[in-house]
Amino acid sequence: MDDEAELRTRDWLPRTAALVLGTLALASAFIAAYVGALHKPDPKDVPVAVVTTDQQAQAVMSAVRARTDIVKPVGYDSRERADDGLNDRSVYAVLGSAPGGGLTLATASAGAPAATELVTEVFTEAARQAGVPLAVTDEVPVSGGDPRGLVPFYLAVGVVLGGYLASTALGISLGTSPGSLRRAGLRIATLAVHSVLLGVIGAVLVGPVLDVFPHDVGTIAVVGALAAFAAGMVASAVQAWLGLLGTGIVILLLVVLGNPGSGGIYAPEFLPPFLRGMHRWNVPGLATDLLKSAIYFDWRGGGWALTGLLVWVVAGLAGLLTATMFRARRRAARTGSGRHAAAER
């Protein structure tokens, strides 16, 4: 009995130690990522549009750029194109000359309130120093129920977390890798139904229940379901190939790095360099961008985010199905080898 207990301890101890060390590593990474990214925002190269033929606006823009790298000028050949850039979220504001004299600054606070506030402060001071009046307008304001512009981010975090947790729950109860393509299909269908339900619940919560976006329930439900399904399929694929280690990798990708790198709390230009481009490929960032585009910008500028989420869905499906087939073949090969050995005996 003592020998059996010792054997069980030897088997249990390394696995437990690995789990504890893994959770310590993830928690440490979580602290480092969130504190490192968000404790002291350092805005740099916040894009602001200016028409190249607008001499007065160009002069003020050049003076600002000479003093600081907070703002980055983005030239357009017409005011119409500059306005398009504002509406597709390529820039946070448009600086121009007013017909009756002075300057205008058109912003879109729904894109990122902190960024538009910063830009407004910078150009208000620049206009004061230049001795010209500045008229500021908010062309795409945030909702009254979303004054800080953070609800799309929190909603994205919720549906992405829900998708990942659903996949993890199925992995714990049924095994991380389905035993056959049929079981893989059932898992995919389960995650799809869960994603649709979660998308609808999220839309109802931020719509009729909390009265944040009461007129966008259908839109939010569709985007939320897609984001949840993308997260669930990514998690399922990684877990199917790597088992418990895959769960840790998914947490690292979707939570530890994905949330601070999504550009939801602070605009990407406020984040450390290694996180600034993450929102363009990570699921939480894509979900946040698509929700903002759908809710505030009539889907303009949402093409990349929509494509990115669909790519993650396809990659997750392919990863889960190939892992299922690979493991099924390995099991069949082991079974065949066992039968052959038994026949020889």
Side-chain angles (χ1 to χ4, degrees):
M1 291 294 293
D2 290 342
D3 290 340
E4 290 180 6
E6 184 177 350
L7 288 173
R8 285 197 299 269
T9 301
R10 288 179 182 176
D11 180 59
W12 166 84
L13 189 58
R15 187 186 315 170
T16 302
L19 287 172
V20 171
L21 290 175
T23 55
L24 281 173
L26 283 173
S28 300
F30 185 93
I31 295 169
Y34 274 72
V35 176
L38 306 177
H39 77 290
K40 187 180 179 182
D42 183 22
K44 183 178 181 181
D45 291 334
V46 178
V48 175
V50 62
V51 177
T52 53
T53 56
D54 189 338
Q55 296 182 357
Q56 182 180 13
Q58 284 279 16
V60 173
M61 180 71 77
S62 297
V64 168
R65 186 64 177 179
R67 292 195 301 269
T68 177
D69 61 0
I70 290 178
V71 172
K72 180 180 75 173
V74 179
Y76 289 88
D77 58 10
S78 69
R79 179 58 189 248
E80 290 75 16
R81 290 183 179 273
D83 289 338
D84 288 341
L86 181 67
N87 288 316
D88 67 21
R89 300 176 60 218
S90 298
V91 297
Y92 293 105
V94 179
L95 182 68
S97 295
L103 293 169
T104 63
L105 185 70
T107 66
S109 62
T116 55
E117 288 173 8
L118 176 67
V119 168
T120 300
E121 290 175 5
V122 168
F123 284 104
T124 298
E125 177 61 21
R128 187 191 65 78
Q129 293 182 1
V132 294
L134 175 69
V136 181
T137 59
D138 193 347
E139 301 297 324
V140 189
V142 291
S143 164
D146 182 30
R148 298 175 61 200
L150 293 177
V151 172
F153 164 68
Y154 290 131
L155 182 60
V157 169
V159 295
V160 168
L161 181 64
Y164 143 70
L165 288 177
S167 173
T168 301
L170 290 174
I172 292 172
S173 62
L174 303 175
T176 56
S177 180
S180 65
L181 287 177
R182 178 178 174 275
R183 291 184 178 179
L186 289 173
R187 182 166 302 193
I188 293 167
T190 301
L191 288 172
V193 172
H194 173 271
S195 298
V196 171
L197 292 174
L198 182 58
V200 171
I201 291 170
V204 170
L205 285 174
V206 301
V209 175
L210 298 175
D211 198 31
V212 180
F213 304 123
H215 304 298
D216 299 288
V217 174
T219 296
I220 293 171
V222 171
V223 177
L226 176 60
F229 191 54
M233 291 315 308
V234 169
S236 292
V238 177
Q239 290 164 344
W241 279 105
L242 301 177
L244 187 59
L245 175 62
T247 300
I249 292 175
V250 169
I251 294 173
L252 180 66
L253 177 67
L254 298 183
V255 180
V256 174
L257 295 176
N259 288 352
S262 68
I265 299 176
Y266 289 114
E269 294 80 12
F270 284 56
L271 300 175
F274 74 95
L275 287 176
R276 288 187 182 181
M278 188 172 290
H279 71 108
R280 293 188 60 80
W281 61 266
N282 206 320
V283 175
L286 294 170
T288 301
D289 284 349
L290 188 56
L291 281 167
K292 284 186 177 182
S293 294
I295 294 169
Y296 284 121
F297 294 88
D298 297 326
W299 296 97
R300 290 171 294 190
W304 174 264
L306 177 60
T307 301
L309 287 176
L310 291 174
V311 168
W312 277 119
V313 168
V314 172
L317 287 168
L320 177 61
L321 294 175
T322 54
T324 300
M325 291 187 291
F326 174 76
R327 295 189 182 279
R329 288 174 183 173
R330 287 189 63 181
R331 284 192 293 269
R334 286 197 298 268
T335 301
S337 298
R339 289 176 180 173
H340 181 70
E344 288 184 345
R345 289 196 296 270

